[in-house]
Every structure is written in C-alpha cells, then in structure tokens.
Amino acid sequence: ATLTSLAEAVRIDDICRKHGKAFIKADIQGVFASVFCDFGDAFEVTDVDGEQPHSGIVAGITPGATTLITSVEDDRLEFESGDMVVFSEVEGMTEMNTIGPVKVLSAKPHSLEIEVDTTGFGAYVKGGIVTQVKQPKTLHFKSLSESIDAPGEFLMSDFSKFDRPPLLHVGFRAIDEFVASQGRAPKPGDVADASAVMEIANRMNQNNEAVKVDEKVLGHLASTWSAELNPMAAAFGGVVGQEVVKSASGKFHPIFQWFYFDSIESLPEEPLSAEELAPEGSRYDDQIAVFGRSMQRKLEAANVFLVGAGALGCEFMKNMALMGVSCGASGMLTVTDDDTIEKSNLSRQFLFRDWDIGNAKSSVAGAAAKKINPGLNLEALQNRVSPDTEEVFNGEFWASKDLIVNALDNVNARLYVDSRCVYFGKPLLESGTLGTKCNTQNIIPGLTENYGATRDPPEKSAPMCTLHSFPHNIQHCLTFARSEFEGLLEKTPADANAYLENPEKFVHDVTHSSDAAAKENLRGVFDALITDRCST
C-alpha cells in the first residue's frame, strides 16, 4: 500500500491477514519515509543473512563434558557463540560425524567449545571439518491496527538519531489525522499548518513520556509532506522490492516491523520564503517545494561527469534526468564508458533492450535518459578514464566540472578518478554494489577524506610454497587445482603453439634463458606434441 490513509491501510492489512498474505505499507513524504511490514503470525526466515555457512578444518579435539575443538593455525574460524555446527571427515572419533547439529558455547579465532559430552567417544586421530548449520527463525508479526499504538522496536538507519523513529511514528500519525480532517496535505512552508500538526502530535503523545515532540523535526515533516522526490522514490522502491522478495522466499531477515527514515540534513539551513517554494507549473515543482527555486536552477546548470554507464550508471542517469540535473542552458552531463552492451547486462542495466546488444553503453543509456527528460544536455563518450586518455580528459575538462560521479566496477579506476578529483579539488560521489550489498561515499574537498585515503584489506591468498608442499585446506586445494589447470590446459598449449609458429626462435629463447623453468617448458611442449598428443 502506498499513498493510502492509515484507516485504509488497516482495512487492507486485515484482509491480507485473513487470507494469509503478506502486507507492506510504504510512503515517501519529502525527505521522510516510512515502511511497515506484516508477514503474518508465524513467518519463517530460512536464512537470516544470506551468507555462505562458515566452515573450518579441525586440527584437534579435546574430549570432556564440553568439548574443545581447535583448528589449524592459518585457518581463522568465523563462528559465534550460539551457532549450530556439524562435523564430517573426523578420523578416530567417528561418533562426531554422526551427531546432529550441536551448539557452540564459546568461539575464538582458532578454537571453539561445543555443547556435547565426548568422554565416551573413540580417540581422535586426525582430520575433520566443522560446518555451520543455519537455523530457521520464526517471526511473529502484529497487525497494523495492533502495532500503531504498540510499535515495538524500530529498525534503525542512523544511530545518531536514536530518538527519531518514535518521533516520526507520532508525526506520521498526526499528519494522517490532519489530512483526514482537512481533506488536504499541509502546505509547503505554511506555519499555520505546521502548528496544527504540532497540536495534533502533542495531543496524541500526551500520555507517552518516552517520546519528546520536536517542533523543528515535525515542522520539516509537515512542510515537505506533499512532495514526492525522485531520489527518495528510487531508494525506497529498492527497499520495498527487497521486502517483497523476502516475503516470497523466506531468505534474509525482513523489516520487523516499522522503519522510518529522514534526510533533514539535505534541507536548507534557513527557512525558505513563500516565493522560493511556490510552484512554477513544471515537472520539478515537488523538488522546488522542498529545496526552493534557487537550488533547482543550480541543479539544472550543473556540469556533471559520470564515469561508467552500467548498472549504477543507468540508475544515476535516470535519477538525474528526473531531477532536472544538467537540464538548463549551461548544464551538461558527460558520460563515458568504453564497454559495449552484452546480453547478461539486460538483467540489471535497465536502460538497455535486446536490440541494443553490441552497441556502446554510454550512447544507448544517454539516448534512453533523454527520452525520460528531453531537456537533458548529455554528451556520451566511449573513452576509458585512465592515464592513457589524459589528452581527452585534460586539465581543462576536469576544471569545468562541478561534480564527479563514479559508477565503476574496479578499484584501480576508482583510485585514478579519485586522484584526479583530489588534484582538481572536485567533489566525488563514489559507490558500488555486490549482490544484495552496497556502499556509498560522499567525498567533499576540504571536509572529508578521499576514497584513496583508506584501502580494503588484501584478499586472502594461498602462498605458493604452501601449495607445493602441503595444501591442507580448501582454499589451498582450489588454488592448487587452478594452478594445475592453467599449466595443463592454458600455458602448455600456448607454448606448443608458439613453438609451431616459430620453432627456431622458441628453442633459441629456451636454450639461452637463465630461468630454470624454461627447459621444463620445452619438455612440456615435447609432451604435448609427441608423448601426450591429443588424437581428437
């Protein structure tokens, strides 16, 4: 349910509960948003976090009333107290392989204590794998009518605003009553309407000492209530979409049950005049009602550089077109991406269609964005942003931009764009997605650290000396197998082809090389062409 009164939402929720259907109510009101979920009396979540079950290699088992499990030194265990685990491939103490899921009493990086008595088991010899067993979780949702007065705990989005969700719960109810009685929403910037909302909120909250009614926050809520902002719609469309998937699949923990959000920080510090907030009869009137005409003119005149036109790039271009960014006479959105559209892109890069396969991403996405808003001034390029293209993206180009937006899929490109932004003092919006996970970073010169100031920890890799002596865990074995695969099916055939193409040069290079592996390569070529030559 969206854009429905509280009374109507209660009626729909009651119907859904009667027929065993999930119900979601979501609203965006200016820079505020609300989501409510009711998935029934007993909703089972089969996988709370969607992560792969943790596992570890057993190096030792100390029997007792509670049993201590230790792992190999270089295998850090990821278990937590309360996890349920099972064992396999244990030699000697084979009873461990048959016991059901057992509870972890305490967990450390290289050991864990489990709730099982192993004093009567056989003597541990060697081996074993311990694996997490994910436990289902049953959630008991209350109906909307019940949870209005007893909302329970709210899902937090900003831990610096602990008191905000209960306040917004009162505020949303107060404005719902205002709309029901007045037949209209509060007017933008109208002091009388804001005061009326405050009066209703105080009356609703008179017996609730836990919530302090904040006049400033509810004033902003009343003033921006009637506006529908594209960024809010885009963000909470995604949130609600995820909740729909959760309700159908039982995977990932759903919102339980209320979620409130606000972005008051985005609003002007000083109240805007009635003239600033007055509608113009344009497609941007809702934005003007929140941020004012002057801000809208700035958005329209912005010169923006978007690096990447993939999944995030398409989303940014759509949002900018709907917001009117770079749609003024002096504005320009420059998009660059050296990639072309593939069939696999169509599942997530929504500005592309079947008939666009093989064409440049930036050009196709740009044309689609201009259909959304014909006033968008857009230049589509097919250049990779790197040191090799500094004659295209030169000092004059960077100096002319007001904002840089990254929509990239690799760290090196991000670091390069970040270095350019630092050098030219330009703000950068950095973000990335991976499945159901995402990150975003707003980088403002002189106020925040830049993207390259912090680095992610290096990915775990298996040392080659370990692989060739004793690969003892799954990561080592997989890396060893990949090394063997590349040697047998990639490097050796490539060497054989190089020999066939120019035998004299290949033999000369091998015989005059100081690399000990070079002569081994020649042996590999001999085996590939003579000893083990394929007959098919």
Side-chain angles (χ1 to χ4, degrees):
T2 60
L3 299 176
T4 56
S5 67
L6 204 52
E8 177 65 6
V10 167
R11 188 184 71 83
I12 297 171
D13 180 47
D14 288 342
I15 295 172
C16 290
R17 288 182 74 85
K18 184 178 178 180
H19 292 86
K21 305 299 181 183
F23 172 80
I24 302 171
K25 172 177 166 55
D27 290 295
I28 53 166
Q29 315 290 164
V31 294
F32 298 84
S34 165
V35 178
F36 169 81
C37 293
D38 174 12
F39 293 171
D41 291 325
F43 178 77
E44 186 174 79
V45 184
T46 55
D47 186 350
V48 173
D49 58 12
E51 300 290 338
Q52 287 292 325
H54 300 307
S55 65
I57 297 172
V58 177
I61 301 177
T62 305
T66 59
T67 302
L68 180 66
I69 310 296
T70 55
S71 69
V72 293
E73 288 185 4
D74 60 348
D75 188 22
R76 184 182 177 88
L77 299 176
E78 302 288 343
F79 301 105
E80 296 179 0
S81 299
D83 283 350
M84 304 298 290
V85 297
V86 293
F87 293 84
S88 59
E89 301 180 31
V90 176
E91 295 185 26
M93 193 182 285
T94 55
E95 296 92 339
M96 294 290 289
N97 299 326
T98 59
I99 61 175
V102 294
K103 187 177 182 180
V104 175
L105 297 176
S106 65
K108 295 180 180 179
H110 300 290
S111 67
L112 55 92
E113 189 177 359
I114 58 172
E115 190 180 42
V116 60
D117 186 350
T118 55
T119 51
F121 289 11
Y124 174 74
V125 177
K126 65 176 182 178
I129 297 173
V130 55
T131 307
Q132 178 190 22
V133 178
K134 293 211 164 181
Q135 299 296 301
K137 181 179 181 180
T138 301
L139 299 174
H140 304 286
F141 288 83
K142 293 186 292 187
S143 68
L144 178 56
S145 58
E146 291 177 293
S147 60
I148 289 173
D149 293 320
E153 290 188 14
F154 297 94
L155 177 64
M156 296 294 299
S157 64
D158 188 339
F159 289 99
S160 68
K161 301 176 180 177
F162 271 109
D163 59 338
R164 194 63 56 79
L167 173 62
L168 294 182
H169 187 68
V170 174
F172 270 71
R173 289 174 60 197
I175 296 185
D176 180 78
E177 184 174 313
F178 177 94
V179 173
S181 62
Q182 298 289 329
R184 61 173 178 84
K187 297 176 184 176
D190 192 298
V191 177
D193 283 359
S195 297
V197 170
M198 275 294 298
E199 186 178 332
I200 297 170
N202 281 317
R203 173 169 49 78
M204 286 182 169
N205 195 58
Q206 60 186 351
N207 296 322
N208 186 4
E209 296 180 359
V211 179
K212 181 182 177 182
V213 175
D214 188 317
E215 186 174 341
K216 183 179 179 181
V217 172
L218 294 193
H220 286 313
L221 179 62
S223 180
T224 65
W225 182 269
S226 60
E228 292 184 40
L229 302 180
N230 166 74
M232 295 290 291
F236 278 85
V239 169
V240 173
Q242 291 281 18
E243 296 309 302
V244 171
V245 173
K246 293 173 188 177
S247 71
S249 67
K251 190 173 182 179
F252 299 102
H253 199 293
I255 292 174
F256 186 78
Q257 292 188 261
W258 290 95
F259 175 51
Y260 286 100
F261 174 86
D262 74 85
S263 183
I264 289 180
E265 304 82 13
S266 306
L267 297 174
E269 292 183 5
E270 298 296 327
L272 299 176
S273 65
E275 183 182 355
E276 270 284 306
L277 299 174
E280 298 178 327
S282 71
R283 65 187 296 170
Y284 312 120
D285 279 353
D286 281 25
Q287 278 181 189
I288 291 171
V290 175
F291 302 111
R293 295 184 180 187
S294 299
M295 176 58 72
Q296 188 58 41
R297 298 293 90 85
K298 286 184 180 180
L299 291 175
E300 292 170 8
N303 282 287
V304 180
F305 183 31
L306 174 60
V307 189
L312 271 175
C314 286
E315 183 70 22
F316 283 131
M317 293 172 75
K318 178 264 291 181
N319 290 341
M320 291 178 190
L322 290 171
M323 293 169 65
V325 175
S326 304
C327 292
S330 59
M332 177 62 69
L333 172 59
T334 305
V335 185
T336 190
D337 195 314
D338 66 339
D339 201 5
T340 56
I341 299 166
E342 300 176 13
K343 190 170 185 179
S344 61
N345 300 148
L346 302 182
S347 64
R348 61 192 180 280
Q349 300 175 20
F350 63 94
L351 296 183
F352 307 144
R353 299 294 180 265
D354 288 352
W355 50 85
D356 296 321
I357 292 172
N359 295 323
K361 285 185 176 180
S362 57
S363 299
V364 174
K370 285 184 72 68
K371 287 182 180 179
I372 295 172
N373 189 339
L376 178 63
N377 300 312
L378 186 140
E379 180 184 18
L381 305 176
Q382 285 84 48
N383 303 96
R384 181 189 295 267
V385 182
S386 70
D388 298 331
T389 56
E390 289 188 358
E391 73 282 356
V392 178
F393 305 113
N394 52 29
E396 185 180 349
F397 175 87
W398 289 100
S400 68
K401 300 305 172 189
D402 301 312
L403 171 67
I404 315 301
V405 181
N406 268 354
L408 292 160
D409 60 0
N410 67 91
V411 172
N412 289 336
R414 288 184 169 105
L415 289 171
Y416 176 74
V417 173
D418 176 65
S419 68
R420 296 283 83 191
C421 290
V422 171
Y423 185 83
F424 290 99
K426 298 297 178 180
L428 171 66
L429 174 59
E430 163 60 43
S431 50
T433 64
L434 180 65
T436 55
K437 299 177 181 178
C438 67
N439 72 283
T440 187
Q441 185 177 355
N442 296 308
I443 300 156
I444 304 171
L447 288 179
T448 68
E449 67 176 6
N450 64 305
Y451 173 78
T454 55
R455 298 289 180 93
D456 293 332
E459 293 185 11
K460 293 180 181 178
S461 59
M464 292 306 293
C465 59
T466 304
L467 299 187
H468 291 293
S469 59
F470 186 64
H472 64 274
N473 69 23
I474 188 64
Q475 288 85 1
H476 294 169
C477 294
L478 287 171
T479 308
F480 186 84
R482 178 173 176 174
S483 173
E484 291 293 291
F485 180 93
E486 289 178 349
L488 292 170
L489 298 178
E490 183 178 329
K491 189 176 186 313
T492 299
D495 288 343
N497 287 334
Y499 170 80
L500 293 173
E501 188 174 324
N502 193 334
E504 292 182 3
K505 181 179 183 305
F506 186 88
V507 173
H508 177 272
D509 291 345
V510 169
T511 54
H512 288 78
S513 173
S514 59
D515 186 355
K519 293 179 175 57
E520 189 65 30
N521 294 344
L522 188 59
R523 166 61 62 184
V525 171
F526 180 83
D527 288 341
L529 297 177
I530 307 297
T531 309
D532 302 323
R533 180 165 184 158
C534 293
S535 60
T536 64

